[in-house]
């Protein structure tokens, strides 16, 4: 006798109306998604009812894992990876040798082979439970391995790529040798040593200016080619859309989580193919309660991150990555407001791009740019970074340091890369270079996520010091074996990486010294500095002073113009004031690198008095 | 017809570059021929004298932060009387290539016909032989203008950015860039429907690099020389009458009449160079007839809207091109090389003198310095010991080179001879005074 179909079964049981079924079937026709997922996404059936119906259709009993707790001895032999891969939890071994296994998907032969391999069982008895029950059970009963996996996976696999060790002995030695050499030089040949230091600093600034100009020019040229057009997005067929996972790490953000639900609901992507994992720390019940109170849609799942050090965003994301079911994955922050068609655009960018493209980065910008001086300057900076610098790096085939959010990944490739480094406080920038080391590339996509710009100096310095510290960590990690890195990524990419990642903190650390010298000379007219500025150093420093600064101002101005933020363009002239804040943050970052390297300076969100505009999907 | 012309005009960039260089070659050969015969324009000689000094002393600031600086910097790798015409030819070729590229983009044959008129006249030779900086300035202005026009047409911020950058470079070659940039900025609001705020922002994007580079050069001038009015130096003070400029520019006049008849908004921008030519002389900025004519021609080439080459338009363009060529032949005086090679020979002889043995002032004797090919034998105003040597030459130098001009030697030793020196030779207002007993 033919097994009844799920929809008819549910209708017969009075759990679904005929109209609802025909609507769901119509959607299924378009999206080719499983009917169960569609029904859940539409909110027509409750999860437990659906899985109870499935259990009857498949001929297996139903079980709730919160009531039927698994045998810990079995779990010890059933590794976390298998539990995640098959979403299956062995519950109990009966005396006659039958193993009760809770599953949320129809059992497959590969699951049977895995059970046999790990537990030596040949006759399992399956019990059906909801996928959320399985995920909950994994988090509950695999707590330690989960924590271990999310924190140390990268370190165990390739310790030299992890920021767990801040300085290697070789780096300490090099640092000490450099310091001693400088001191010795200052003692024996003070003038020559100071000239050499001056030359090195100015040569670095010169290289940095030339590099940024070349990349920005390439970025400006990229404007002539739209990575993904509206037509290409419209041409996407719904049935060909893959499952997409959205990871949203939140911590102490009860005040913005409601907004998050609204923004995520605005994504133009079939709900049944969208898996939203809100990653909430165990010690943050307020955010969890607020998130529940916001009545999230059925495709939103809360993933509680086990408490443990380091308490960082990348650790939470690593947990999320373990549970992600999507073929593609993206990260958003709690206050993020992505343009509705961003997922589709990213998908087109992946499909158009080369096979080795593992990530595409969307632009970030701010909705509260008009709020005060700081938000204006921050918006200018982000407009330049995401609209000129990253597209330029993309166009030149150079490694792209990912931005904190809106980076879209091929999930499997991300797992292959080892996820994020939880000890690196700019895990995203680090991931960009790790991708390049394995021959993968990162692209950019012409879609924007609007965020809340920091509107408070203290909060801004906290956030920026974390970013700069992360850049320092990343530079230190990847300078451990420079020759190997050159071999892996190529000399051009290597230089670009260091000019950007090591160059950014170095610029902010050194520029107060140069500005100080300039102001001293300007105000006092002293000739005491002349011996340390022989002609070639003088010309270089004048070039940096005049052209370097002007260029930085101009590129910011241009970025505001391109974004049509016309009122912002004149504010670019005030950049030197903003750079002072960068230098303050850089010195704080340097201090923390030695004292609290893994400390995550939390940025407070929800401080803006301006409401985020609601973005409508393109019709 | 239009599609046919579009089909014909599908060149690739290297081809345009090759064609441009080929078109510039006759004028370049003529200019090189003049140099071979001993011709060296005053401006080229002044540039070379500055470059020799800076190179020999190893101090860039010995340029005195002269204006325009870009041609001087271009001469650094190869300072020689041959360099200006060679560089000028390459730049002219680049300019022609840009004109060809623009004609291709607009699928217009008429600008090419007008360019033909220019090519058949002595205008290019005059520009190359007299001041290659003018060629450089014109090429950059043309480039900036076409980029600006593309921004007006297509709205991509890249074009405004690029136009701003090129203008900022152009100001280091010609002072025309400054007022033209301002007029371009004003033109934005007239030629593109934008809100006032967007107009202001676009103007800022266009003008910021231009103003910044100008001020940067002023700052460097002040830093190294203590002076700030750098723009007024090294510019021609004499300006041809505007009537003569019009007479030399039939293509510009014809283009203007065409736009006037059709009342195109582009007419407002088309008048920009005219405004500049009118406004600059009262402010003390001069220009030469070839420079003014070439500038107006550029606006004629770029200002015309894309037009299908109908027979009557083509006929009119041919006629205008012919007039343009004739105007050149009629109005420009032929460039004649000096009747004898004496100046070059004297310069080369001076170069043989021992280092720092000849007191001279490059404001007077730049022509001989240019032919000398080095500043090593000379003690010049930029040198620390110049004033001492000027007051007591017998104690510091063995020769004095005194020429007519605005330098420091002429007032003091223009007529007489300092004690212990006697006149060695005299040539075209220059005298060499030598201490007896010193090797000649």
């Amino acid at each position: 006798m033919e097994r009844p179909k799920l929809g008819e079964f549910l209708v017969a049981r009075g759990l679904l109306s005929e109209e609802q079924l025909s609507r769901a079937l119509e959607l299924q026709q378009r999206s080719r998604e499983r009917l169960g997922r569609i029904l859940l996404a539409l909110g027509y059936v409750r999860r437990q009812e659906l899985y109870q119906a499935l259990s009857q259709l498949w001929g297996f009993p139903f079980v709730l894992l919160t009531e039927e707790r698994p045998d810990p001895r079995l779990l010890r032999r059933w590794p976390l990876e298998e539990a995640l891969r098959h979403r299956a939890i062995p519950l109990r071994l009966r005396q006659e040798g039958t193993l009760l296994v809770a599953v949320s998907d129809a059992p497959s032969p590969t699951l049977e082979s895995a059970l046999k391999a790990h537990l030596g069982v040949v006759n399992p008895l399956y019990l059906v439970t909801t996928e959320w029950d399985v995920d909950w059970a994994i988090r509950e009963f695999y707590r330690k391995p989960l924590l271990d996996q999310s924190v140390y996976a990268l370190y165990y696999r390739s310790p030299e790529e992890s920021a767990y060790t801040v300085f290697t002995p070789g780096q300490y030695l090099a640092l000490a040798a450099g310091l001693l050499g400088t001191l010795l030089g200052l003692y024996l040949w003070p003038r020559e040593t100071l000239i050499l230091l001056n030359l090195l600093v100015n040569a670095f600034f010169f290289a940095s200016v030339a590099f940024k100009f070349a990349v920005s020019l390439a970025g400006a040229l990229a404007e002539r080619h739209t990575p993904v057009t509206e037509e290409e997005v419209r041409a996407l067929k719904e049935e060909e859309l893959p499952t997409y996972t959205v990871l949203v790490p939140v911590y102490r953000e009860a005040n913005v989580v409601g907004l998050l639900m609204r923004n995520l609901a605005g994504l133009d992507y079939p709900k049944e193919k969208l898996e939203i994992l809100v990653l909430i720390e165990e010690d943050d019940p307020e955010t969890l309660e607020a998130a529940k109170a916001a009545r999230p849609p059925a495709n939103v799942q809360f993933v509680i991150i086990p408490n443990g050090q380091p308490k960082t965003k990348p650790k939470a994301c690593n947990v999320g990555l373990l549970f992600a079911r999507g073929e593609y994955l993206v990260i958003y922050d709690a206050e993020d407001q992505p343009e509705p068609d961003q997922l589709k655009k990213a998908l087109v960018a992946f499909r158009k791009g080369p096979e080795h493209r593992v990530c595409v980065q969307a632009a970030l910008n701010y909705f509260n740019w008009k709020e005060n001086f700081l938000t204006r300057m921050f918006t200018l900076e982000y407009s330049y970074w995401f609209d000129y610098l990253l597209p330029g790096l993309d166009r030149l085939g150079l490694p792209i340091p990912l931005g904190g959010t809106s980076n879209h990944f091929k999930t499997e490739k991300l797992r292959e890369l080892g996820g994020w480094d939880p000890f690196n406080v700019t895990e995203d920038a680090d991931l960009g270079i790790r991708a390049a080391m394995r021959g993968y590339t990162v692209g950019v996509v012409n879609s924007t996520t609007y965020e809340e710009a920091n509107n408070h100096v203290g909060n801004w310095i906290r956030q920026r010091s974390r970013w700069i510290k992360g850049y320092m960590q990343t530079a230190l990690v990847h300078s451990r074996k420079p020759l190997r890195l050159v071999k892996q990524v190529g000399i051009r990419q290597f230089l670009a990486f260091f000019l950007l990642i090591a160059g950014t903190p170095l610029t902010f650390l050194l520029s107060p010294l140069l500005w100080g010298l300039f102001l001293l000379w300007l105000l006092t007219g002293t000739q005491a500095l002349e011996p340390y500025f022989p002609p070639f150093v003088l010309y270089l420093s004048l070039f940096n002073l005049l052209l370097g600064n002007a260029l930085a101002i101009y590129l910011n101005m241009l970025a505001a113009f391109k974004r049509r933020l016309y009122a912002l363009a004149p504010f670019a002239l005030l950049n030197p004031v903003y750079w002072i804040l960068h230098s303050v943050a850089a010195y704080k970052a340097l201090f923390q690198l030695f004292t609290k390297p893994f400390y995550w300076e939390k940025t407070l969100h929800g401080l803006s008095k301006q409401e985020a505009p609601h973005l409508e999907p393109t019709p | 017809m239009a599609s046919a012309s579009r089909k014909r005009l599908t060149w690739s960039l290297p081809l345009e570059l090759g064609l441009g260089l080929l078109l510039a070659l006759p004028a370049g050969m003529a200019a090189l021929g003049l140099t071979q015969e001993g011709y060296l324009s005053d401006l080229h000689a002044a540039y070379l004298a500055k470059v020799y000094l800076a190179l020999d002393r190893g101090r860039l600031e010995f340029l005195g932060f002269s204006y325009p600086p870009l041609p001087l910097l271009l001469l650094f790798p190869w300072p020689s009387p041959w360099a200006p015409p060679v560089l000028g030819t390459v730049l002219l070729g680049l300019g022609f290539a840009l004109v060809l590229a623009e004609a291709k983009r607009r699928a217009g044959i008429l600008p090419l016909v007008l360019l033909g008129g220019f090519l058949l006249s002595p205008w290019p030779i005059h520009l190359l032989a007299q001041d290659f900086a003018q060629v450089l300035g014109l090429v950059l202005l043309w480039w900036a203008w076409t980029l600006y026009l593309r921004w007006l047409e297509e709205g991509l911020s890249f074009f405004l950015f690029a136009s701003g950058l090129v203008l900022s470079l152009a100001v280091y070659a010609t002072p025309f860039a400054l007022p033209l940039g301002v007029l371009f900025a004003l033109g934005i609001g007239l030629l593109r429907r934008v809100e006032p705020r967007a107009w202001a922002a676009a103007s800022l994007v266009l003008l910021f690099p231009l103003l910044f580079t100008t001020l940067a050069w002023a700052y460097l001038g002040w830093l190294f020389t203590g002076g700030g009015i750098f723009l007024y130096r090294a510019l021609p003070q004499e300006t041809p009458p505007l009537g003569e400029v019009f007479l030399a520019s039939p293509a510009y006049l014809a283009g203007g009449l065409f736009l006037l008849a059709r009342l195109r908004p582009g007419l407002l921008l088309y008048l920009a160079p005219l405004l500049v030519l009118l406004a600059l002389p009262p402010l003390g900025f001069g220009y030469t007839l070839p420079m003014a004519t070439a500038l107006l021609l550029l606006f004629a080439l770029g200002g015309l809207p894309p037009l299908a080459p109908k027979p009557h338009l083509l006929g009119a363009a041919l006629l205008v091109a012919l007039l343009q060529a004739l105007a050149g032949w009629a109005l420009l005086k032929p460039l004649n090389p000096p009747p004898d090679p004496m100046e070059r020979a004297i310069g080369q002889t001076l170069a043989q003198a021992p280092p720092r043995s000849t007191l001279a002032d490059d404001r007077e004797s730049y022509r001989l310095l240019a032919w000398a090919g080095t500043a090593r034998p000379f003690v010049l105003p930029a040198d620390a010991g110049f004033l001492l040597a000027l007051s007591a030459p017998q104690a510091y130098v063995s020769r004095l080179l005194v020429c007519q001009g605005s330098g420091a030697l002429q007032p003091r030793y223009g007529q007489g001879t300092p004690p212990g020196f006697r006149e060695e030779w005299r040539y075209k207002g220059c005298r060499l005074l030598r201490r007896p007993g010193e090797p000649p």
Side-chain angles (χ1 to χ4, degrees):
Chain A
M1 198 179 84
E2 199 182 329
R3 214 167 59 174
K5 289 182 175 169
L6 175 65
E8 292 159 7
F9 186 83
L10 289 167
V11 172
R13 290 294 170 98
L15 297 169
L16 190 71
S17 70
E18 285 288 354
E19 293 76 38
Q20 287 174 324
L21 177 61
S22 58
R23 165 91 182 111
L25 288 172
E26 187 190 311
L27 273 180
Q28 192 188 29
Q29 197 74 21
R30 281 216 307 267
S31 71
R32 305 276 175 218
E33 185 51 88
R34 280 149 62 176
L35 185 64
R37 282 196 193 283
I38 294 172
L39 293 173
L40 284 175
L42 291 172
Y44 288 169
V45 291
R46 294 177 58 186
R47 197 170 299 271
Q48 193 172 325
E49 290 168 350
L50 173 76
Y51 278 91
Q52 276 171 338
L54 282 172
S55 75
Q56 289 177 37
L57 286 172
W58 293 343
F60 300 131
F62 182 79
V63 67
L64 279 175
L65 294 181
T66 44
E67 291 167 9
E68 182 77 39
R69 298 178 81 83
D71 181 348
R73 287 170 301 178
L74 283 175
L75 293 185
R76 275 197 288 275
R77 289 159 60 198
W78 183 240
L80 172 67
E81 294 75 30
E82 296 292 4
L84 283 165
R85 186 177 304 129
H86 302 287
R87 288 299 204 276
I89 302 283
L91 293 176
R92 222 172 39 249
L93 190 61
R94 282 179 174 170
Q95 278 185 343
E96 75 273 18
T98 313
L99 177 73
L100 300 184
V101 182
V103 290
S104 58
D105 278 331
S108 65
T110 53
L111 170 60
E112 284 196 22
S113 319
L115 287 169
K116 191 178 171 190
H118 291 283
L119 302 167
V121 177
V122 284
N123 53 343
L125 175 63
Y126 295 109
L127 292 95
V128 177
T129 188
T130 73
E131 61 196 40
W132 282 18
D133 266 52
V134 173
D135 285 1
W136 171 83
I138 292 174
R139 291 197 299 271
E140 185 70 16
F141 304 118
Y142 286 91
R143 187 187 165 87
K144 200 172 170 302
L146 208 58
L147 205 56
D148 205 46
Q149 185 79 9
S150 60
V151 174
Y152 294 107
L154 179 70
Y155 178 70
Y156 289 152
R157 205 183 64 179
S158 36
E160 72 280 2
E161 288 179 24
S162 165
Y164 182 59
T165 308
V166 183
F167 291 96
T168 59
Q171 285 174 325
Y172 271 123
L173 210 64
L175 202 65
L179 265 172
L180 277 175
T182 308
L183 290 174
L184 194 71
L186 285 172
Y187 180 71
L188 295 174
W189 309 282
R191 183 170 172 264
E192 287 77 8
T193 307
L194 283 172
I195 289 175
L196 181 67
L197 288 175
N198 200 358
L199 175 68
L200 288 175
V201 167
N202 278 293
F204 156 71
F205 271 97
F206 176 80
S208 190
V209 169
F211 167 71
K212 281 201 175 147
F213 179 66
V215 173
S216 305
L217 205 59
L221 276 166
E223 188 188 0
R224 298 160 73 178
H225 313 281
T226 311
V228 178
T229 63
E230 301 295 333
E231 289 72 40
E232 286 170 320
V233 171
R234 275 197 290 274
L236 280 174
K237 289 184 183 146
E238 214 165 284
E239 71 262 25
E240 290 171 4
L241 295 180
T243 304
Y244 224 114
T245 298
V246 178
L247 294 186
V248 192
V250 289
Y251 187 52
R252 307 252 186 256
E253 287 173 300
N255 55 336
V256 288
V257 83
L259 182 70
L260 164 73
M261 296 304 160
R262 189 192 84 176
N263 292 342
L264 293 178
L267 283 172
D268 174 24
Y269 205 81
K271 302 280 176 282
E272 64 278 12
K273 294 189 173 188
L274 192 61
E275 177 193 49
I276 300 172
L277 303 182
V278 181
L279 314 173
I280 304 178
E281 293 285 340
E282 203 170 27
D283 63 349
D284 185 16
E286 297 84 10
T287 305
L288 179 62
E289 287 314 309
K292 281 180 181 168
R295 303 175 68 82
N299 55 354
V300 173
Q301 190 181 350
F302 300 124
V303 178
I304 308 300
I305 309 301
N307 214 351
Q309 290 301 326
K311 197 187 288 290
T312 57
K313 176 177 157 186
K315 186 192 86 179
C317 288
N318 280 340
V319 176
L321 178 61
L322 290 171
F323 287 96
R325 289 183 177 82
E327 189 181 330
Y328 294 91
L329 175 148
V330 61
I331 296 176
Y332 290 125
D333 274 352
E335 89 285 11
D336 279 5
Q337 192 175 15
E339 283 180 343
D341 61 352
Q342 190 176 103
L343 302 188
K344 288 183 175 174
K345 275 192 171 171
L347 200 61
V348 175
F350 275 120
R351 289 182 179 169
K352 279 173 78 177
E355 184 53 36
H356 50 75
R357 175 174 287 177
V358 289
C359 175
V360 291
Q361 170 75 56
L364 302 179
N365 216 293
Y366 295 121
F367 62 78
N368 61 329
W369 63 272
K370 283 181 186 162
E371 200 161 358
N372 60 26
F373 171 75
L374 197 59
T375 60
R376 286 187 172 94
M377 300 315 290
F378 209 169
T379 307
L380 276 171
E381 185 190 6
Y382 253 40
S383 300
Y384 164 63
W385 186 268
F386 285 100
D387 295 350
Y388 280 99
L389 198 80
L390 295 197
L393 292 172
D394 180 31
R395 204 176 152 82
L396 296 172
L398 300 173
I400 293 181
L402 300 176
T405 85
S406 308
N407 16 66
H408 300 250
F409 295 96
K410 287 177 179 165
T411 312
E412 271 321 303
K413 298 289 180 192
L414 180 57
R415 288 189 176 122
E416 185 192 318
L417 286 171
W420 296 269
D421 181 357
F423 295 100
N424 191 319
V425 293
T426 48
E427 73 293 345
D428 28 40
D430 168 70
L431 192 54
I433 186 71
R434 275 199 282 125
M437 281 163 66
R438 280 169 178 74
Y440 292 129
T441 56
V442 175
V444 291
V445 65
N446 51 322
S447 175
T448 301
T449 298
Y450 290 92
E451 299 192 298
E452 178 195 337
N454 239 315
N455 60 0
H456 187 269
V457 173
N459 202 26
W460 185 94
I461 287 183
R462 271 199 298 279
Q463 183 186 52
R464 188 53 59 113
S465 67
R466 170 164 59 79
W467 291 357
I468 296 177
K469 183 173 70 178
Y471 270 33
M472 291 172 178
Q473 285 181 312
T474 308
L476 284 169
V477 165
H478 297 287
S479 60
R480 288 170 186 168
K481 292 184 176 166
L483 287 178
R484 194 187 71 172
L485 188 60
V486 171
K487 217 183 255 180
Q488 283 173 325
V489 301
I491 186 74
R492 216 165 53 93
Q493 284 78 356
F494 173 84
L495 289 174
F497 166 74
F498 271 98
L499 276 171
L500 203 62
I501 301 296
T504 301
L506 212 54
T507 303
F508 296 132
L509 289 171
L510 293 173
S511 49
L513 296 175
L514 296 183
W515 278 107
L517 287 178
F518 176 64
L519 288 176
L520 178 75
W521 172 82
L522 202 65
L523 297 174
T524 64
T526 177
Q527 296 187 339
L529 300 174
E530 276 179 21
Y532 311 108
F533 284 88
F536 52 100
V537 181
L538 181 69
Y539 305 146
L540 214 53
S541 65
L542 279 171
F543 176 90
N544 295 334
L545 174 76
L546 296 172
L547 231 68
N549 289 311
L551 200 66
I553 289 169
Y554 187 48
L555 289 170
N556 274 242
M557 190 183 284
L558 191 67
F561 182 73
K562 186 183 174 188
R563 275 263 158 195
R564 296 172 194 271
L565 303 173
Y566 300 124
L568 266 188
F571 280 87
L573 297 167
L574 298 176
N575 253 310
V577 180
Y578 186 52
W579 296 336
I580 296 173
L581 291 180
H582 280 86
S583 292
V584 173
Y587 278 98
K588 183 180 174 188
L590 185 65
F591 179 71
Q592 277 200 357
L593 183 72
F594 289 93
T595 54
K596 291 192 276 187
F598 314 130
Y599 178 63
W600 187 274
E601 287 271 16
K602 174 75 186 137
T603 314
L604 300 176
H605 294 299
L607 301 178
S608 173
K609 292 183 187 72
Q610 290 191 5
E611 184 89 355
H614 189 58
L615 300 175
E616 293 295 334
T618 319
Chain B
M1 193 69 186
S3 62
S5 68
R6 206 166 277 133
K7 208 171 182 179
R8 277 200 303 275
L9 293 167
T10 50
W11 310 308
S12 62
L13 189 67
L15 183 62
E16 286 151 24
L17 203 60
L19 269 174
L21 288 171
L22 210 63
L23 292 175
L25 208 57
M29 296 297 282
L32 284 169
L34 281 168
T35 310
Q36 170 67 25
E37 295 298 313
Y39 178 85
L40 183 65
S41 75
D42 273 356
L43 278 168
H44 286 169
Y47 295 156
L48 285 168
K50 285 276 181 204
V51 171
Y52 291 140
L53 174 67
L55 279 175
D56 184 67
R57 309 298 196 263
R59 304 291 299 224
L60 206 57
E61 61 268 35
F62 280 0
L63 288 179
F65 289 89
S66 317
Y67 186 85
L70 200 54
L72 298 181
L73 294 175
L74 287 180
L75 286 172
F76 261 72
W78 181 36
S80 147
W82 297 95
V86 169
L87 282 171
T89 307
V90 173
L91 290 166
L92 195 66
L94 201 67
F96 289 152
L98 288 171
V99 173
L100 293 174
E102 186 64 10
K104 174 186 163 188
R105 191 180 72 81
R106 295 169 156 230
I109 195 87
L110 296 183
L112 297 183
V113 176
L114 296 180
L115 183 69
F118 179 73
L119 283 169
L120 291 172
S121 70
W123 297 112
I125 304 166
H126 272 255
L127 284 168
L128 288 184
Q130 288 189 330
D131 186 5
F132 86 107
Q134 293 184 357
V135 181
L136 178 61
L138 287 166
V139 170
L140 291 172
L141 286 179
W142 166 259
W143 196 12
W145 192 45
T146 51
L147 287 165
Y148 170 77
L149 288 177
R150 285 194 78 174
W151 176 72
L152 287 176
E153 289 164 17
E154 298 174 31
L156 289 179
S157 59
F158 166 76
F159 292 116
L160 195 64
F161 165 57
S163 181
L165 284 183
V166 177
L167 269 177
S168 72
L169 204 60
V171 81
Y172 283 167
T174 169
F176 279 77
L178 211 52
L180 278 176
V182 174
L183 289 170
F184 286 176
L186 289 173
I188 290 170
L190 302 172
L191 299 172
R192 203 176 144 87
R193 281 183 193 165
V194 286
E195 49 168 312
R197 205 176 261 186
W199 183 0
S203 302
L204 195 59
V205 167
L206 187 70
L207 293 180
F208 176 77
L210 180 64
L211 296 175
F212 189 85
T213 44
T214 311
L215 291 175
W217 199 252
Y219 168 75
L220 290 175
W222 168 78
L223 184 69
F224 290 114
T225 67
I229 50 166
F230 63 100
L231 272 175
Y232 284 87
R233 282 187 234 136
L235 287 173
Q237 296 300 309
E238 285 174 22
T239 298
L242 203 59
E244 196 180 343
V245 176
F246 276 142
L247 210 58
S249 310
Y252 180 76
L253 293 177
L257 286 174
F258 179 83
L259 291 174
L260 192 66
R262 297 193 169 196
L263 274 180
R264 296 266 184 165
L267 181 64
L268 294 165
L269 204 64
Y270 196 78
L271 296 173
L274 208 56
L275 284 175
V276 173
L277 294 181
L278 277 168
L280 285 187
L283 296 172
F285 293 91
Y287 48 82
T288 60
L289 183 62
M291 176 69 185
T293 310
L295 183 72
L296 292 182
L297 180 75
L298 290 188
F299 275 75
L301 296 180
L304 288 173
L307 295 164
K310 290 178 184 160
H312 69 279
L313 280 175
L314 206 58
L318 278 169
L319 181 67
V320 172
L322 189 68
L323 286 172
Q324 184 76 49
L326 287 175
W329 290 107
L331 293 170
L332 291 174
K333 291 177 194 140
L335 296 170
N336 293 320
D340 56 60
M342 276 301 284
E343 195 180 40
R344 181 188 301 190
I346 291 171
Q348 287 167 351
T349 310
L350 287 171
Q352 307 303 315
R356 310 287 182 273
S357 63
T358 310
L359 183 67
D361 189 326
D362 48 353
R363 287 167 292 183
E364 300 168 357
S365 46
Y366 56 92
R367 292 195 61 85
L368 292 174
L369 252 78
W371 283 120
T374 172
R376 182 159 301 178
F378 303 100
V379 176
L380 295 166
D383 293 317
F386 178 78
L387 288 176
L388 278 175
L390 185 68
S391 55
Q394 66 279 16
Y396 297 98
V397 290
S398 54
R399 292 170 177 79
L400 268 79
L401 179 63
V402 188
C403 293
Q404 284 173 352
S406 58
L409 269 78
Q410 175 67 22
R412 197 177 283 221
Y413 306 116
Q415 300 304 319
T417 304
F421 285 82
R422 66 178 171 78
E423 186 174 299
E424 175 92 0
W425 51 254
R426 194 182 271 259
Y427 175 76
K428 282 189 177 174
C430 289
R431 293 196 307 149
L432 184 79
L433 311 174
R434 187 164 65 87
R435 270 204 322 235
E438 291 291 327

